[in-house]
């Protein structure tokens, strides 16, 4: 089942269950996928679907951080609930140890030895972890490994 079909099915379920919050989030996600399809002019591949979901997840995560800084408890709870709903459509997230392992493999492949190789390492790691790890985490791990 494609992501779009899954979203449509979940939207119908949310309507039947009168779950307004889930319905709103699923509608936004479905719209984001459809907009991406229109923009690209073709049905999305699995990787493109993951990229859309990762973008939506990142937006909500950044909003949550801003709400926490501002002390907006009402919006914090809403953002956390939205994040939980978006997470259902994301692939399993890699742990820091798993990301570190991938980064070490890439560093060995590229014979990278210093921060001069940072861009090259990031460029090789990101496609491997697309949608499965946050870019900030990957950035942090690459810096740690290259500064050893």
């Amino acid at each position: 089942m494609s992501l779009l079909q899954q979203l449509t099915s979940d939207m119908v379920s949310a309507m039947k269950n009168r779950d307004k919050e889930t319905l709103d989030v699923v509608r936004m996600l479905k719209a984001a996928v459809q907009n991406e399809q229109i923009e690209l002019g073709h049905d999305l591949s699995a990787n493109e679907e993951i990229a859309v979901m990762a973008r939506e997840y990142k937006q909500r995560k950044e909003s949550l951080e801003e709400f926490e800084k501002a002390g907006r408890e009402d919006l914090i709870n809403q953002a956390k609930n939205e994040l939980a709903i978006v997470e259902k459509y994301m692939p399993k997230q890699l742990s820091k140890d798993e990301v570190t392992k991938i980064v070490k493999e890439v560093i060995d492949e590229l014979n990278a030895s210093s921060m001069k190789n940072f861009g090259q390492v990031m460029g090789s790691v990101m496609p491997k972890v697309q949608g499965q790890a946050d870019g900030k985490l990957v950035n942090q791990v690459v810096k740690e490994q290259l500064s050893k």
Side-chain angles (χ1 to χ4, degrees):
M1 178 182 283
S2 77
L3 179 63
L4 204 52
Q5 292 168 329
Q6 179 67 43
L7 289 168
T8 302
S9 170
D10 290 351
M11 201 168 80
V12 170
S13 295
M15 279 186 228
K16 287 180 180 177
N17 296 332
R18 300 188 190 281
D19 184 354
K20 184 173 175 3
E21 186 174 8
T22 300
L23 179 62
D24 289 345
V25 175
V26 172
R27 276 186 176 149
M28 283 189 278
L29 296 175
K30 185 176 177 192
V33 170
Q34 289 174 324
N35 287 339
E36 189 76 9
Q37 277 184 332
I38 291 167
E39 190 174 304
L40 296 176
H42 61 79
D43 287 345
L44 300 182
S45 68
N47 284 342
E48 290 168 332
E49 288 176 343
I50 290 171
V52 172
M53 288 299 112
R55 185 172 54 235
E56 293 295 315
Y57 182 80
K58 183 179 179 184
Q59 286 174 353
R60 283 162 179 78
K61 194 167 186 170
E62 288 172 353
S63 296
L64 177 61
E65 290 170 4
E66 291 300 316
F67 297 150
E68 286 173 343
K69 284 181 189 174
R72 296 287 310 266
E73 289 301 320
D74 54 329
L75 296 175
I76 290 172
N77 293 332
Q78 179 184 349
K80 284 181 180 178
N81 292 338
E82 287 182 11
L83 268 176
I85 294 167
V86 176
E87 273 179 351
K88 288 193 279 187
Y89 303 101
M90 298 277 296
K92 179 185 162 288
Q93 296 296 296
L94 298 173
S95 69
K96 185 173 180 177
D97 292 338
E98 292 168 319
V99 172
T100 302
K101 181 181 175 200
I102 293 169
V103 168
K104 284 180 180 178
E105 289 171 3
V106 169
I107 288 173
D108 290 342
E109 286 174 22
L110 299 175
N111 293 322
S113 58
S114 69
M115 288 301 285
K116 291 179 184 176
N117 306 108
F118 179 80
Q120 189 179 17
V121 173
M122 284 294 291
S124 295
V125 171
M126 287 310 290
K128 292 181 180 187
V129 299
Q130 181 183 18
Q132 297 177 322
D134 183 40
K136 288 180 185 178
L137 174 64
V138 175
N139 186 316
Q140 175 190 348
V141 170
V142 169
K143 285 180 180 176
E144 287 173 6
Q145 294 302 313
L146 288 177
S147 64
K148 285 185 177 178

